[in-house]
Amino acid sequence: MTYLKIVILTLLFCNLPSFSLVHLDATTGAFLSYGTFFLIIIYFLHKKEMPIVPLVILGLSYFLISILIDSQNSEGFMATFIKYLIFVTMGASVIKDVTKNEIFTLLLIGAFSIIYESIFVIDIGGRYSGFYLNPNFAGCICILGYCFSFSISDKKIKIIGQILFSYAGFVTFSRTFLLLWVLVNILSLSISYKNSYKIILGIVLISFFVSFGNKFDFNTKRLEAFATILDGKISQDLAENSRTLTWAKYYDRILDHPFFGNGYLSFSGKTYGEDDKAYGIEGVHNTPLLIIGEAGIFVFLYFLWLYGGFVLSGIHYFKQDFLLLLVSFSLFIYMLTTHNFFNNYILLSISIWLFQQIEIKKTEEYTCLETLLH
């Protein structure tokens, strides 16, 4: 079962089905996608684990309410719905057996794909994403990997990992990554003041990019914008096309249908036409707004209770396991910038891992209290 687990985790955390769909062909991508779920089912049948009930409730509420409200975008609904349910019920068996070191290693492989692309691939826009296809999502992978690096006991591996995740994250030129990288390092100071060297590392990396950026195919506009941070300023380019402007386009529609939303995929963006005549309508780029916009305020409040609870639990158990706060906080902030949650199996994997780890801490705490009382 160990080898099966490694295969499943590699397919998931290295985003191989989606990567193959784009860079190889549709047949290979579909084969790896459905093959991943087939392997998850096999693993579950051999090693059953309790499903993640809160995520099951969240998914059922979102999918059923949104499709009942408006089914005009129902193409592919059943496949997405069934995959989600399989993952949060049976996928828990796989995630239960994964270690922090394994997650760190898998995310590091993903970071290597970003670094490779930044060095050897040109003319793709100057922002790099490796296996993850989208630079912003690649930035999320890097900040999660950076968080997990704090749990590595071997200092050399920890430092090398943090350097690689930082480099890979910076070449995505993701504003969210940069913000989270700074915030995570500030939080890390409460673990040990010795972590202050990481902020110096970030300044050195940005200085390197600014000095040698013309030698690489970096996104010049974002590079210059990041460079202004060294002068203690925030460039207008970093605020340009900000997510807040995107969110504002959807506020009126949320207020028009606050209780049960506007229906399935109504906030997820659309592409019309084909080839040169194709044009798209931008999605909301915010998971909480996606949920309230498509399924209404009740599902939205449940989502906030669940993921806000992860962050609060991370604070509560910070002294026992600081990683829970770093990961839950980073995950929550990233979800404020993406609307691809219910079919993003890396985000769901991390969510399942967080839930399981917090439940373990609660059980340990309860057992300790019982022992003291008796």
Side-chain angles (χ1 to χ4, degrees):
M1 297 303 289
T2 301
Y3 293 114
L4 180 59
K5 179 188 73 172
I6 292 171
V7 170
I8 294 170
L9 292 173
T10 302
L11 288 166
L12 288 172
F13 280 89
C14 292
N15 200 38
L16 295 183
S18 296
F19 183 81
S20 300
L21 179 66
V22 172
H23 290 285
L24 296 178
D25 55 68
T27 303
T28 304
F31 174 78
L32 290 178
S33 177
Y34 286 102
T36 301
F37 284 88
F38 178 70
L39 294 177
I40 288 173
I41 293 171
I42 292 175
Y43 196 96
F44 172 77
L45 293 175
H46 282 81
K47 196 167 186 180
K48 292 181 175 65
E49 182 65 32
M50 282 292 294
I52 309 303
V53 175
L55 287 175
V56 173
I57 295 172
L58 176 65
L60 287 172
S61 303
Y62 165 76
F63 281 106
L64 296 181
I65 291 175
S66 63
I67 199 67
L68 287 172
I69 295 300
D70 189 346
S71 61
Q72 66 176 336
N73 298 312
S74 61
E75 184 179 354
F77 170 82
M78 284 305 298
T80 305
F81 181 39
I82 291 171
K83 282 183 175 181
Y84 176 89
L85 287 181
I86 290 174
F87 198 83
V88 297
T89 53
M90 301 182 185
S93 299
V94 182
I95 304 303
K96 179 73 172 181
D97 292 336
V98 72
T99 66
K100 295 174 184 178
N101 286 355
E102 287 172 338
I103 295 178
F104 169 82
T105 303
L106 290 163
L107 294 177
L108 190 60
I109 293 171
F112 272 120
S113 75
I114 301 168
I115 295 169
Y116 175 87
E117 191 175 79
S118 73
I119 296 172
F120 297 106
V121 182
I122 61 174
D123 298 328
I124 58 171
R127 297 183 65 195
Y128 302 98
S129 52
F131 290 142
Y132 305 101
L133 305 176
N134 180 296
N136 293 321
F137 182 40
C140 171
I141 294 299
C142 292
I143 199 62
L144 289 174
Y146 190 80
C147 291
F148 274 96
S149 69
F150 285 94
S151 67
I152 302 300
S153 55
D154 188 303
K155 290 186 178 180
K156 289 183 179 178
I157 295 176
K158 177 192 290 188
I159 293 172
I160 291 172
Q162 288 171 342
I163 292 172
L164 292 174
F165 281 121
S166 297
Y167 177 90
F170 283 134
V171 297
T172 67
F173 291 99
S174 164
R175 292 170 291 195
T176 307
F177 169 82
L178 183 62
L179 171 65
L180 281 171
W181 189 91
V182 172
L183 293 177
V184 166
N185 279 310
I186 291 173
L187 284 173
S188 74
L189 294 178
S190 60
I191 302 169
S192 172
Y193 70 91
K194 294 179 181 178
N195 287 322
S196 58
Y197 78 86
K198 297 179 180 65
I199 298 175
I200 299 173
L201 168 65
I203 295 172
V204 170
L205 281 174
I206 293 177
S207 300
F208 170 79
F209 292 146
V210 172
S211 301
F212 299 98
N214 59 335
K215 304 294 183 182
F216 300 93
D217 189 33
F218 291 153
N219 183 294
T220 306
K221 198 171 186 180
R222 282 287 175 98
L223 179 61
E224 291 174 351
F226 277 25
T228 61
I229 295 174
L230 295 177
D231 297 325
K233 303 174 183 177
I234 300 295
S235 167
Q236 181 62 33
D237 290 329
L238 285 179
E240 191 177 84
N241 297 320
S242 70
R243 292 294 184 226
T244 54
L245 297 176
T246 303
W247 303 338
K249 298 175 184 177
Y250 288 87
Y251 292 156
D252 288 340
R253 294 177 63 191
I254 291 172
L255 294 174
D256 288 342
H257 301 90
F259 295 110
F260 298 105
N262 295 266
Y264 183 63
L265 295 186
S266 57
F267 276 46
S268 301
K270 296 180 182 178
T271 300
Y272 298 92
E274 296 180 356
D275 301 326
D276 295 337
K277 296 181 180 179
Y279 67 96
I281 296 177
E282 188 176 21
V284 69
H285 288 288
N286 183 302
T287 298
L289 291 184
L290 169 84
I291 292 172
I292 193 173
E294 295 187 359
I297 192 168
F298 303 111
V299 186
F300 166 77
L301 291 174
Y302 185 80
F303 171 86
L304 289 185
W305 170 80
L306 178 59
Y307 281 88
F310 286 166
V311 176
L312 291 175
S313 294
I315 295 172
H316 179 70
Y317 295 114
F318 185 76
K319 289 185 178 180
Q320 297 177 43
D321 190 349
F322 54 82
L323 185 59
L324 295 179
L325 177 59
L326 298 184
V327 173
S328 61
F329 177 74
S330 298
L331 181 65
F332 187 83
I333 296 298
Y334 174 72
M335 287 196 295
L336 299 179
T337 68
T338 182
H339 54 249
N340 299 316
F341 169 74
F342 290 98
N343 60 352
N344 188 316
Y345 304 109
I346 297 178
L347 297 186
L348 290 174
S349 295
I350 297 298
S351 300
I352 291 171
W353 180 84
L354 277 171
F355 180 84
Q356 291 173 336
Q357 295 300 309
I358 290 169
E359 287 301 300
I360 290 171
K361 295 298 178 188
K362 288 179 179 178
T363 302
E364 291 174 351
E365 189 175 52
Y366 179 76
T367 304
C368 183
L369 285 172
E370 271 198 330
T371 304
L372 291 173
L373 290 173
H374 292 86

